[in-house]
Amino acid sequence: MLFHARKRVRLVHEVIHFDKVSFRYPDEEKWILDELSFTVKRGERIVITGPSGCGKTTLLYICNRLYPDNCDGILSGSVKLFGKNNSSFIPGEINHRIATVFQDPDSQFCMQTVEEELAFTLENLHVKRDEMENRIRDVLALTDLTEFRYAVIQKLSGGQKQRIATACALIMKPEVLLLDEPLSHLDPFTAKKYVEWLDELQKKYAMTIVAIEHRLDLWGDFFERSISLNKNEIAPVLIKRESSKQKNDSLVVDKLQANTYLQETSFTLKRGEVAVLAGPNGSGKTTLLKALCKLIPSSGTVEPKLVGYVPQSPEFLFLTKKVQDEVGFGGGNNTEEMIARLQLLPIADSHPFAVSHGQKRRVAIAAMLSDGREVILMDEPTSGQDAKALSELFQLIDERAREGTTFLIVTHDMEFANCLADSILLMKDGQLTGKFDADIVWSDEQLLMDHHLLPPKEVIHREKCFA
């Protein structure tokens, strides 16, 4: 049995308690968290909300004692975990009781295969070898990952990695599960199933769940209450854009093929067209983008020098020590404008690696939009973005498309896709199954089901939709 009932005498009603907690880094005057107070009770389901960069992830890192133990941060106020002062726990003591699934799953993997990663987690908990097999088998079945037991993690999709990271957390039999945007890399159908599965798991084992999330619509009524770090900002409304593609000016991809999972395919994008690439986790979407910009050996007629690429993990692109320098590294135009419009001014002097996940993406997007490329490929650009950032990204893409820039965007955010896309390219099992007008995709139930998609909630009212 993966989880077991703990003796009642160990139970503490309050599992996390913050009393006027503040946190900042030594070289920054501004507090990331400023006199924050709240309590999480055993078995609760809590969501933490607020704009990108407001300190949500920092809050989780204090809950699991990653901060300030593993950084130079300054912490004031009182933090109690399971009724004890957080400083009274020895290093590593709290980590099997409070497990964390990070926003970027790659950041928490140490081993090559799924089985090795799970075994490594158990070894750190000093689990006996004869018990490991049962624990690994049970958690793989619980997370529907049995077929991936011997898979190489870095060959899997972002969504598959997210499920593996969740399995690594659950195998520790935690009392509290901390989740940092766990749906951000999941296709809509898998995200829905993840929430249903987590709902059943929490009910069965009475775990406490604290999650960071921007898009609460995916969760339904899962959460009981929220802790808001919002600064009273009003969420902008996105209006469905009119097509800007130029009918007689095409950019052709002729029999694109890579020596990987991707099968031979052909498609055409017109100059100024905004196309969304969608499909199940592991269907080959990221591989197709990498093949287009020649990051993996491939054939095709789009010249690499014309193509700009914003990957899922944008930090792989960073070469400088300041956000401002990173945006202007390619010598592009309108650098200052991009920094201002993508809300990067407050962090312009920060190291690109030291900012939030959502801010890292905006740094990479700003750099690429300043670079003057004719075709821009984006892999999950909406992940980690609040409503205001999504609205500005939407406007920038629309403006550039009208100037003739072509976009191919991988996203699982169907609300954003519905507002933005001229066309939808669908993938499944390494093959491009077709290019469709967006209206056709949203109205075809079978097509949506086959590609693990759900229709946008505003598809009936096409005049407007919300990020």
Side-chain angles (χ1 to χ4, degrees), residues 350-363:
S350 300
H351 197 293
F353 284 94
V355 301
S356 75
H357 183 73
Q359 289 168 331
K360 288 177 183 176
R361 286 182 185 271
R362 296 205 300 278
V363 171

Side-chain angles (χ1 to χ4, degrees), residues 299-317:
S299 61
T301 60
V302 177
E303 290 295 326
K305 64 182 180 181
L306 303 178
V307 179
Y309 176 50
V310 180
Q312 261 188 29
S313 298
E315 56 267 28
F316 292 143
L317 297 179

Side-chain angles (χ1 to χ4, degrees), residues 61-307:
Y61 288 176
I62 294 173
C63 289
N64 64 16
R65 288 202 65 202
L66 188 63
Y67 288 177
D69 289 6
N70 295 283
C71 72
D72 295 326
I74 298 170
L75 179 68
S76 67
S78 171
V79 178
K80 289 186 177 180
L81 306 174
F82 305 104
K84 295 171 57 178
N85 191 293
N86 70 329
S87 61
S88 66
F89 293 92
I90 62 174
E93 181 183 0
I94 203 68
N95 297 110
H96 71 284
R97 299 183 69 182
I98 301 179
T100 308
V101 178
F102 296 94
Q103 193 174 42
D104 180 7
D106 283 315
S107 66
Q108 64 191 93
F109 296 137
C110 299
M111 308 303 288
Q112 185 175 22
T113 69
V114 175
E115 181 186 56
E116 290 169 345
E117 188 67 34
L118 293 169
F120 179 74
T121 302
L122 294 176
E123 287 171 354
N124 286 330
L125 297 176
H126 306 292
V127 174
K128 295 180 180 178
R129 288 206 172 265
D130 56 358
E131 185 185 344
M132 281 188 182
E133 172 58 30
N134 291 337
R135 294 267 289 265
I136 291 173
R137 184 186 63 245
D138 288 350
V139 81
L140 288 173
L142 184 68
T143 52
D144 196 25
L145 288 169
T146 301
E147 64 178 295
F148 296 101
R149 177 166 183 161
Y150 305 106
V152 176
I153 295 174
Q154 293 308 319
K155 291 185 178 181
L156 300 177
S157 72
Q160 290 164 338
K161 290 176 182 178
Q162 196 82 348
R163 287 164 56 200
I164 294 163
T166 304
C168 291
L170 292 175
I171 204 169
M172 294 189 285
K173 303 179 181 178
E175 296 169 62
V176 179
L177 185 61
L178 306 179
L179 304 169
D180 196 347
E181 293 201 56
L183 307 185
S184 60
H185 297 296
L186 302 182
D187 64 64
F189 179 82
T190 303
K192 181 181 178 182
K193 292 299 181 183
Y194 183 97
V195 173
E196 292 173 354
W197 165 76
L198 196 64
D199 177 62
E200 294 175 1
L201 191 70
Q202 193 278 335
K203 288 176 180 176
K204 187 173 183 180
Y205 300 111
M207 279 191 303
T208 305
I209 295 177
V210 180
I212 292 172
E213 188 56 75
H214 283 294
R215 297 196 57 221
L216 294 176
D217 57 295
L218 295 171
W219 291 85
D221 59 357
F222 180 89
F223 296 110
E224 298 168 339
R225 63 185 178 94
S226 65
I227 297 170
S228 178
L229 303 184
N230 205 331
K231 299 175 181 178
N232 299 318
E233 295 179 344
I234 299 174
V237 176
L238 298 186
I239 307 298
K240 184 171 174 62
R241 63 184 289 274
E242 295 182 3
S243 176
S244 57
K245 59 185 178 182
Q246 300 172 24
K247 295 181 179 179
N248 298 318
D249 197 356
S250 300
L251 298 169
V252 181
V253 177
D254 183 18
K255 293 185 178 179
L256 178 71
Q257 188 174 24
N259 297 323
T260 60
Y261 179 60
L262 185 67
Q263 300 181 39
E264 183 178 279
T265 188
S266 299
F267 63 93
T268 300
L269 296 179
K270 296 184 180 297
R271 196 170 301 278
E273 183 173 0
V274 179
V276 162
L277 180 60
N281 291 127
S283 60
K285 301 184 295 297
T286 296
T287 302
L288 189 148
L289 294 192
K290 289 181 177 179
L292 278 172
C293 55
K294 306 294 184 180
L295 288 178
I296 56 177
S298 60
S299 61
T301 60
V302 177
E303 290 295 326
K305 64 182 180 181
L306 303 178
V307 179

